Amino acid sequence: SVSHLLSPAAMTTHTSHMENEEKVVEKNAQQPEDSSSTMSATVTATAGETKTTKNEKMFRLFLLFMMTAQNSTVVLVSRYTRAGVSNEDSYVINDLIMVQEFGKLILAAALEYNATNGQLVRSMKENIFDRPKDFFRILIPSLLYLVQNSLLYVAISNLTAPMFQVTYQCKLLTTAVVSVIMLQRKYSLKQWLCLTALGIGVAIVVLGAQSDSKKDASDSNEEGEDANVQNLFVGLMAVTIACLCSAFAGVYFEFVLKRPTNDGGEARAPVSMWMRNVQMAFFSICIAYINMVRDSDRGVTGLVDENNDPVIKPFMHG
C-alpha cells in the first residue's frame, strides 16, 4: 500500500539500499585506477631491473676488455723490455715487482677508502691490527704470487710473446684441478672437454716450438752468435711453475676471501676484496725488500768505480 511505502521504516530501508549501491559503484570505479597503478608500478620495476641487468652486463664486458688488454699489454711490454737487452742494461726483476706491488698497495687502499666512505683507517684497524691471525693468512698467497711474477719475467725472457701467451693459458687447467681438490668444486663434462682441448693445443704448440728451437740453435752456432740466447727449456719450466703458483695462490685467495671471519665467536662479514689486496701487497713489498737486501748477485752495470771494481746495479737500474 501507499502508506506502507511511505512509512519511516520503508524510507530508511530504501535509503540504505541506495547508499550500498553508491558504494558498489564507487568501488567498481576505483578498481580500474588501482589496477592501472599496480600495472604502472610493475612496469616501472621491470624497467628498473632491465636497466640494472643491462648495466651489469656492460660492466662485465668492460672488465673483460680491460683484463684482456692488461694481459696482452703486460706480455708485450715485458717482452720488449727484456728481449734483445744485454745483461748489463737489463733491470732487476725483484726491483720491478717491488714497485708494482707498491703501486698496487696505493690503488687498493684508495678503492678501500672509497668503499668504506672514508673509513680506511678504521677498516685497517679492524682487519689488520685487531685480527693479526687472519691478517697473516694472506702471507701464503703473497709469497706464491711473488714467485709467480718473478718466474713470468724469466719465461718472457726465454720465450716469444705468442709462445708465452699460449703456454701460460695452462693456468686455467691447473686452477681447475686445484679448485676441485681444495674447494671440492664440480665441473661439467663440457668444461672438462674444453680444458682437455686447451691442454692438447698447448702441447702441440710446445712440440712445434721445440723443433724450431733446435733449428735456431744450430743456425746460431754456425753464425757464432752468443748475445742473449733464449733457452726454451728454462722458459717452459718457468711457465709451468708459474702456472702452479698462480693456481694455488688464486684458489687459496678465493677460499680466504669467501671465508667468514669470527669476532668473539660471532660471525661477521668477510673482509672486502680491496682490503685483502692491501694486505697481500704489503706482504709482497716486505718479501721483495728482503730479497733486495739479501741478494748479493744483482748483476753489474758494465762500469767500474775509482777502485776499478765493477759497479753493482742500483735500485731500478734499467
Side-chain angles (χ1 to χ4, degrees), residues 11-24:
M11 292 294 293
T12 303
T13 304
H14 179 69
T15 303
S16 62
H17 282 302
M18 291 292 292
E19 291 178 354
N20 291 334
E21 290 178 357
E22 291 177 358
K23 290 180 180 180
V24 171

Side-chain angles (χ1 to χ4, degrees), residues 1-11:
S1 64
V2 176
S3 61
H4 175 72
L5 292 173
L6 295 178
S7 64
M11 292 294 293

Side-chain angles (χ1 to χ4, degrees), residues 174-299:
T174 55
T175 302
V177 174
V178 174
S179 63
V180 170
I181 297 173
M182 295 182 61
L183 301 179
Q184 286 77 44
R185 184 169 293 168
K186 298 184 182 297
Y187 293 96
S188 63
L189 178 61
K190 186 177 181 180
Q191 291 173 321
W192 282 118
L193 290 175
C194 292
L195 292 173
T196 304
L198 173 64
I200 295 173
V202 172
I204 293 173
V205 172
V206 170
L207 292 175
Q210 286 180 346
S211 59
D212 294 339
S213 178
K214 292 179 180 179
K215 294 179 182 179
D216 294 339
S218 60
D219 295 339
S220 177
N221 291 332
E222 292 176 359
E223 296 177 3
E225 297 179 356
D226 57 355
N228 203 357
V229 178
Q230 296 180 356
N231 191 322
L232 179 63
F233 177 76
V234 173
L236 292 178
M237 287 299 297
V239 168
T240 302
I241 300 175
C243 289
L244 292 174
C245 291
S246 175
F248 280 106
V251 173
Y252 182 85
F253 184 70
E254 181 181 355
F255 172 76
V256 173
L257 190 65
K258 295 181 178 180
R259 179 178 179 272
T261 55
N262 294 326
D263 188 8
E266 297 180 359
R268 56 188 297 268
V271 183
S272 67
M273 182 179 64
W274 308 126
M275 178 51 62
R276 289 300 189 190
N277 277 278
V278 169
Q279 298 172 353
M280 189 179 302
F282 172 77
F283 281 119
S284 298
I285 292 173
C286 293
I287 298 172
Y289 180 75
I290 293 173
N291 285 337
M292 184 179 66
V293 172
R294 63 182 291 272
D295 188 8
S296 59
D297 187 17
R298 291 176 54 85

Side-chain angles (χ1 to χ4, degrees), residues 25-293:
V25 172
E26 291 178 358
K27 184 176 180 180
N28 293 333
Q30 289 176 357
Q31 284 181 352
E33 296 180 0
D34 295 340
S35 60
S36 62
S37 61
T38 303
M39 291 180 60
S40 177
T42 304
V43 171
T44 304
T46 305
E49 292 177 358
T50 305
K51 185 177 180 180
T52 302
T53 306
K54 185 177 180 181
N55 292 336
E56 290 179 354
K57 290 182 178 179
M58 293 299 295
F59 183 67
R60 290 178 180 177
L61 290 175
F62 173 74
L63 290 180
L64 179 61
F65 171 77
M66 292 299 295
M67 290 178 63
T68 305
Q70 186 261 344
N71 290 330
S72 303
T73 304
V74 166
V75 173
L76 294 176
V77 172
S78 301
R79 175 66 183 170
Y80 175 77
T81 57
R82 297 292 295 179
V85 180
S86 62
N87 293 330
E88 292 80 9
D89 296 330
S90 62
Y91 52 82
V92 181
I93 297 176
N94 187 77
D95 296 349
L96 179 63
I97 293 176
M98 185 175 179
V99 174
Q100 288 178 345
E101 294 300 327
F102 188 76
K104 188 187 300 182
L105 175 65
I106 296 176
L107 182 59
L111 292 172
E112 177 68 12
Y113 179 86
N114 180 68
T116 57
N117 297 322
Q119 301 295 325
L120 176 62
V121 177
R122 179 181 177 182
S123 178
M124 293 178 64
K125 180 179 180 300
E126 292 178 353
N127 299 301
I128 297 179
F129 299 104
D130 293 345
R131 297 172 181 86
K133 185 178 179 180
D134 182 72
F135 171 55
F136 279 100
R137 287 195 181 98
I138 304 299
L139 180 61
I140 297 175
S142 300
L143 180 60
L144 291 173
Y145 276 127
L146 186 65
V147 174
Q148 172 204 341
N149 292 332
S150 301
L151 290 174
L152 289 182
Y153 284 98
V154 176
I156 289 173
S157 301
N158 291 276
L159 299 174
T160 61
M163 179 69 174
F164 173 80
Q165 284 279 40
V166 173
T167 53
Y168 191 52
Q169 298 309 311
C170 282
K171 67 179 181 180
L172 299 176
L173 181 59
T174 55
T175 302
V177 174
V178 174
S179 63
V180 170
I181 297 173
M182 295 182 61
L183 301 179
Q184 286 77 44
R185 184 169 293 168
K186 298 184 182 297
Y187 293 96
S188 63
L189 178 61
K190 186 177 181 180
Q191 291 173 321
W192 282 118
L193 290 175
C194 292
L195 292 173
T196 304
L198 173 64
I200 295 173
V202 172
I204 293 173
V205 172
V206 170
L207 292 175
Q210 286 180 346
S211 59
D212 294 339
S213 178
K214 292 179 180 179
K215 294 179 182 179
D216 294 339
S218 60
D219 295 339
S220 177
N221 291 332
E222 292 176 359
E223 296 177 3
E225 297 179 356
D226 57 355
N228 203 357
V229 178
Q230 296 180 356
N231 191 322
L232 179 63
F233 177 76
V234 173
L236 292 178
M237 287 299 297
V239 168
T240 302
I241 300 175
C243 289
L244 292 174
C245 291
S246 175
F248 280 106
V251 173
Y252 182 85
F253 184 70
E254 181 181 355
F255 172 76
V256 173
L257 190 65
K258 295 181 178 180
R259 179 178 179 272
T261 55
N262 294 326
D263 188 8
E266 297 180 359
R268 56 188 297 268
V271 183
S272 67
M273 182 179 64
W274 308 126
M275 178 51 62
R276 289 300 189 190
N277 277 278
V278 169
Q279 298 172 353
M280 189 179 302
F282 172 77
F283 281 119
S284 298
I285 292 173
C286 293
I287 298 172
Y289 180 75
I290 293 173
N291 285 337
M292 184 179 66
V293 172

